[in-house]
Amino acid sequence: MRFRAKIVDLACLNHFSRIINTIAKLAKTCILRLTVCKLYFILSDKVANGGASMWCELSQGNFFDEFQMEGVAAEHNEIYLELVPENLSRALKTSQSAKAVKIKLTNKHCPCLRVAVELPSLSSSSRIVTHDIPVGVIPRRMWSDFREPSVPDFDVSIYLPVLKTMKSVVERMKNLSNFIVIEANLSGEMNLKIETDLVSVTTHFKDLGNPPWASEDGCQSSAQGRDLESMTEACIDIKKLQQLLAGQQVNPTKALCNIVHKRIVHFILLHEEVSLQYFIPAIA
Amino acid sequence: LSRIGDELYLEPTESGLSLRAVNSSRSGFASFLFAPLFFQLYEPGSAGPETELFRCKVHMKSFLGIFRSLPSLEKSVGKCLILLKPRASRLVLQLHCKYGVTKTHNLAFQECERLQAVFDTQSCASHLCAPARLLAEAVVHFPPTLAEVTLGTGPGGKISLRNYVEDEAEPSKTMVTELWLAEDEFQSVAVAPGSHITFCLKEFRGLLSFAEASNLPLTIHFDEPGRPVIFTLDDTVLEVHLVLATLSDLQSTSQSPSTNGVSRLPVPSDDFADDLESYMVAMETGEGGSERPPSPTFPLRTPRPAQREPQEEEEEEEEGAVPGTPPHKKFRSLFFGSVMTPGRPGAATTQEVLAEDSDGE
């Protein structure tokens, strides 16, 4: 099992750092899955995460100048590692002016991802900072725990409002309540509601637009026959929503959510080179 | 100084006003000596044959509170007068501000013994001098909460900084960050090859920000693990020393005090040195008479593997053998005593040690 990668371009490095920062805000520990073409950051819906799960996918070619990977075996040419994304985020934090960043899987006294940052210096040789991030190697038999989650059979799919606005609304609501109700309909309307003994607050968004989903064998017909005005709702943990919104450092190209009535909210945030899906289950 | 201790010691001397602080575990000491030329007027008072120049200590917070907002002070204050009034038991700080406003602060002080850590930069085997900016840039790669850092020398004359991982922490869970600096980034390098020391980064950061702000090069004097590391800043009117205890590598340093050129308290037996409670009891009841009990040291740490040979190239296969029985590590406290007899190990027992608690005078 080998892995070596290198980033030389500063813009790619900054973009990669931003993605890692976002992941670090969503998960204390997550799985990094490496394949020949892609990197995935996966959080599976264990109870420890409060039931939330995450799937983030990026094409390595968009970030790395060099990328060599050899998986556990020829037919299973992948590597699954468990790591603390905050460590990776810290390692990359001070690399803003780096000449190059190399990442390598090593196994000195325990498996580590070694991030070596080459920094410019006034002297003849560069300054090298290495960060050894301990990782856990996930054995092949557990790989099936981390499969890509399927898009749920949602009742409503709607584009999200401007994330910055949504974030500031949710942040204020977080001070008042632990839970938030997201409701939306097929006419592009979304409401964010909180209700406590003392106060209830609702923020209304209109004209958001509903993304068209290609119906697969007409199985989305449940949506077609629906009343466009009726609201689908789900009550979720407000902290999880706030973490998702706070972690977004760059405005996504597309941001939408799918709501299964009283079951789950599925957020999809698409950027040019990376896609992030986040599932927050509804509180009963 | 406030990053080190909660009390500010003021000691006027013939060569200037010395401001000092020590931390609660006696493992960190700092002193700033302002030469008479720094001041518009400097009158240390007169010392007779029987009396020494008056010195005192005040609460750090009270003193700092007077100088709270530097930018506004710079705009409004013309002069600052510091006056020691022993008979009134007050340290007076008078700020003469614009528009005829005078702010007078009267601080209560406590008399104290001379606070002086015994150290000798000349007897250190290794010396490094670097612009403050270089060290600030190096330290930024470590998290702000990191307690200890290891400074070492490596192949090719490179200098390394690495976060120190306590052995209680699981090595498979802690991230290790290591930074390599080339020799030519320093102003001067005179180090014993293969040497390394581990010291408290938090206390060092305070001095580093001061050095950066005043744009002074920082010199680091160090020796074997266990012997204190001394950081100095030099200017025409200011001399700064920061002395920090370093983690000792008990396997390499012998237990007897005479191995060091610096005088130190007779090394207490391990069980007593670790027994913080006995120390506290001894201080309260005044047991042991005039002989002060040894200062507390950090609790014994569980063993850690010997530091591996630093590699410049990435080498995944090669790994130095980890010894079977790793050494114990322990911070030694700094030795505090009279400056009258430096460098004489035997003098330890008759030294007047600074009293921390109010039961001493």
Side-chain angles (χ1 to χ4, degrees), chain B residues 48-121:
Chain B
E50 297 296 308
T51 56
E52 290 182 309
L53 285 176
F54 195 82
R55 48 176 184 259
C56 68
K57 61 178 180 178
V58 295
H59 281 299
M60 190 71 75
K61 284 218 175 81
S62 317
F63 196 91
L64 276 181
I66 300 169
F67 301 96
R68 191 166 295 135
S69 163
L70 271 182
S72 72
L73 280 181
E74 276 174 16
K75 278 190 242 163
S76 56
V77 178
K79 278 200 299 214
C80 172
L81 172 68
I82 306 178
L83 192 59
L84 205 48
K85 283 189 174 167
R87 268 159 297 164
S89 298
R90 288 286 180 267
L91 175 70
V92 180
L93 273 105
Q94 216 172 49
L95 299 173
H96 295 251
C97 312
K98 285 204 291 206
Y99 315 119
V101 174
T102 306
K103 296 186 198 172
T104 307
H105 300 263
N106 295 294
L107 296 178
F109 63 72
Q110 271 185 298
E111 285 185 37
C112 61
E113 293 297 328
R114 168 176 277 146
L115 176 70
Q116 177 66 60
V118 179
F119 55 91
D120 181 11
T121 55

Side-chain angles (χ1 to χ4, degrees), chain A residues 83-249:
Chain A
L83 55 73
V84 173
E86 172 66 29
N87 284 341
L88 190 50
S89 173
R90 268 208 283 123
L92 295 172
K93 195 149 75 138
T94 48
S95 64
Q96 258 97 40
S97 54
K99 282 155 77 166
V101 172
K102 290 192 202 156
I103 305 182
K104 187 169 138 170
L105 185 59
T106 67
N107 191 359
K108 294 226 171 171
H109 357 270
C110 64
C112 279
L113 264 189
R114 165 165 282 212
V115 178
V117 183
E118 193 184 331
L119 294 162
S121 76
L122 293 169
S123 84
S124 46
S125 47
S126 313
R127 246 176 248 169
I128 313 261
V129 187
T130 55
H131 302 268
D132 285 334
I133 302 169
V135 295
V137 178
I138 308 285
R140 229 196 71 58
R141 63 175 188 279
M142 294 177 66
W143 288 8
S144 51
D145 286 352
F146 308 109
R147 271 195 290 252
E148 179 168 5
S150 45
V151 177
D153 192 12
F154 53 81
D155 298 302
V156 166
S157 176
I158 187 167
Y159 286 113
L160 294 176
V162 172
L163 288 192
K164 213 167 112 193
T165 312
M166 197 172 168
K167 179 176 100 141
S168 58
V169 167
V170 171
E171 260 169 19
R172 277 155 186 71
M173 288 181 165
K174 185 161 99 71
N175 296 330
L176 299 168
S177 168
N178 289 330
F179 305 108
I180 187 172
V181 172
I182 300 187
E183 62 174 23
N185 64 19
L186 290 166
S187 308
E189 292 174 340
M190 175 192 277
N191 299 329
L192 297 174
K193 304 197 295 198
I194 54 159
E195 191 168 324
T196 68
D197 292 335
L198 295 174
V199 66
S200 63
V201 184
T202 309
T203 305
H204 307 266
F205 296 94
K206 307 196 295 196
D207 298 326
L208 294 173
N210 301 87
W213 284 81
S215 59
E216 303 158 356
D217 316 323
C219 62
Q220 294 292 359
S221 56
S222 59
Q224 285 167 356
R226 291 185 108 247
D227 169 18
L228 293 179
E229 302 282 317
S230 74
M231 288 282 183
T232 297
E233 66 170 51
C235 177
I236 59 173
D237 179 347
I238 201 172
K239 262 214 291 279
K240 296 252 173 296
L241 178 58
Q242 190 261 338
Q243 275 168 359
L244 174 67
L245 296 170
Q248 296 308 304
Q249 302 183 317

Side-chain angles (χ1 to χ4, degrees), chain A residues 2 4 87 90-91 94 102 104-110 114 119 121-134, chain B residues 133-134 137-138 140-141 143 158 171-182 184-185 308 311 314-316 318-319 322:
Chain A
R2 281 164 57 93
R4 286 176 109 104
N87 284 341
R90 268 208 283 123
T94 48
K102 290 192 202 156
K104 187 169 138 170
L105 185 59
T106 67
N107 191 359
K108 294 226 171 171
H109 357 270
C110 64
R114 165 165 282 212
L119 294 162
S121 76
L122 293 169
S123 84
S124 46
S125 47
S126 313
R127 246 176 248 169
I128 313 261
V129 187
T130 55
H131 302 268
D132 285 334
I133 302 169
Chain B
R133 227 188 85 239
L134 173 70
E137 283 171 6
V140 84
H141 296 281
K158 293 212 172 204
S172 58
K173 291 229 162 81
T174 327
M175 181 162 134
V176 174
T177 300
E178 189 161 30
L179 163 70
W180 291 95
L181 298 166
D184 54 5
E185 295 207 71
R308 56 188 167 86
Q311 307 278 10
E314 302 162 278
E315 249 145 77
E316 38 185 359
E318 203 176 334
E319 172 52 50
V322 174

Side-chain angles (χ1 to χ4, degrees), chain B residues 131-316:
Chain B
R133 227 188 85 239
L134 173 70
L135 296 169
E137 283 171 6
V139 145
V140 84
H141 296 281
F142 298 93
T145 49
L146 179 63
E148 285 123 25
V149 77
T150 304
L151 170 72
T153 56
K158 293 212 172 204
I159 308 293
S160 78
L161 266 181
R162 191 150 82 113
N163 63 318
Y164 174 73
V165 180
E166 282 179 47
D167 307 293
E168 283 111 31
E170 270 189 58
S172 58
K173 291 229 162 81
T174 327
M175 181 162 134
V176 174
T177 300
E178 189 161 30
L179 163 70
W180 291 95
L181 298 166
E183 207 172 335
D184 54 5
E185 295 207 71
F186 291 81
Q187 284 179 353
S188 80
V189 176
V191 294
S195 53
H196 64 272
I197 45 156
T198 300
F199 57 87
C200 181
L201 181 59
K202 275 201 196 133
E203 287 165 346
F204 173 61
R205 279 188 201 265
L207 181 70
L208 191 53
S209 12
F210 180 85
E212 251 196 311
S214 42
N215 213 2
L216 290 170
L218 192 69
T219 310
I220 309 177
H221 308 269
F222 60 99
D223 205 83
E224 285 162 5
R227 287 189 49 188
V229 55
I230 306 146
F231 302 91
T232 61
L233 290 175
D234 270 304
D235 186 72
T236 44
V237 290
L238 175 63
E239 227 179 83
V240 186
H241 293 278
L242 170 67
V243 187
L244 295 179
T246 63
L247 257 194
S248 73
D249 190 353
L250 287 185
Q251 216 174 53
S252 54
T253 350
S254 84
Q255 292 275 22
S256 79
S258 55
T259 47
N260 308 311
V262 180
S263 42
R264 32 158 88 237
L265 279 168
V267 176
S269 70
D270 274 337
D271 352 275
F272 186 73
D274 291 331
D275 197 347
L276 190 56
E277 207 168 83
S278 328
Y279 167 76
M280 299 301 284
V281 169
M283 284 300 279
E284 274 165 46
T285 59
E287 265 172 293
S290 56
E291 198 177 308
R292 298 285 172 180
S295 308
T297 54
F298 280 94
L300 247 190
R301 293 164 192 264
T302 53
R304 82 160 173 125
Q307 183 152 4
R308 56 188 167 86
E309 190 70 33
Q311 307 278 10
E312 278 189 61
E313 307 302 326
E314 302 162 278
E315 249 145 77
E316 38 185 359

